[in-house]
Amino acid sequence: MPVVKVTRTGVTAAPRDVPTDTTATVLPMTIDRVGQEAPEDELPAKVTSIAEAFKTFKPAVDFRTQVGEDGTEFVAQLEFNSLKDFDPKQIRTRTPGKRNDIADLHNRIELLQRMRESFSLLPVRRAWDKTGDRAEIMRALKDFTDAVQRIADGKESAK
């Protein structure tokens, strides 16, 4: 007996569009609004693109905490104007007029890594093994640190 295979022609499987115009949420959605009902007089905002959403809601983070035993303040003030701003490389960069201790911490870590790489070089290791050269290296590092601190304190203009 022959096998008969029935196929449908002209029908292609395609994902259907997500219905964005029937979904609504009251934005901006913040931590203090989680689990709370929206006030009756508040209307949902309709946006048609990501760019419009960033322009309308202006997402931002103003993070402040105390770290360490001495309670040093750690601050990160970030504004997001596009999806690219959520990239970790972008978060670790400084924005004019905003405090970003994450960028400072990242820069210090990079400096320490570069110093570690420098100390792995043979001429530097040889100089470090000699007591007189080691003292000279330590003096140079202290002078450099003092100069950077004076610039940071605004006592000396950066040249």
Side-chain angles (χ1 to χ4, degrees):
M1 184 173 275
V3 177
V4 178
K5 185 175 179 184
V6 178
T7 60
R8 293 175 34 181
T9 59
V11 177
T12 57
R16 71 182 185 108
D17 292 334
V18 177
T20 56
D21 59 338
T22 60
T23 307
T25 183
V26 177
L27 293 175
M29 188 65 193
T30 58
I31 295 294
D32 57 322
R33 294 183 80 155
V34 173
Q36 303 292 324
E37 290 187 21
E40 289 184 22
D41 60 341
E42 188 171 18
L43 298 174
K46 182 176 182 175
V47 291
T48 57
S49 69
I50 297 289
E52 184 181 352
F54 278 105
K55 187 176 179 181
T56 303
F57 301 116
K58 298 176 180 65
V61 172
D62 189 1
F63 176 78
R64 296 173 186 277
T65 189
Q66 304 292 323
V67 295
E69 294 177 6
D70 57 348
T72 304
E73 185 179 37
F74 187 85
V75 178
Q77 296 172 322
L78 306 169
E79 290 182 354
F80 304 99
N81 299 315
S82 69
L83 287 177
K84 292 178 183 176
D85 291 341
F86 287 95
D87 182 28
K89 290 179 183 174
Q90 190 69 18
I91 290 173
R92 292 186 306 240
T93 57
R94 181 169 294 286
T95 304
K98 301 287 181 183
R99 184 171 166 189
N100 187 357
D101 292 342
I102 296 171
D104 297 339
L105 181 61
H106 177 70
N107 290 340
R108 180 168 279 185
I109 289 170
E110 281 188 340
L111 175 64
L112 291 172
Q113 288 173 341
R114 286 194 307 270
M115 287 178 66
R116 181 178 176 216
E117 290 171 1
S118 297
F119 274 88
S120 67
L121 299 173
L122 186 59
V124 176
R125 281 190 297 170
R126 284 184 183 154
W128 189 255
D129 289 339
K130 297 177 185 174
T131 307
D133 291 345
R134 183 182 314 151
E136 188 176 337
I137 291 171
M138 293 305 292
R139 275 193 304 276
L141 284 173
K142 184 178 182 329
D143 292 344
F144 175 71
T145 304
D146 291 344
V148 170
Q149 188 62 45
R150 282 193 306 273
I151 291 170
D153 292 341
K155 296 177 182 175
E156 186 174 307
S157 62
K159 296 178 183 175

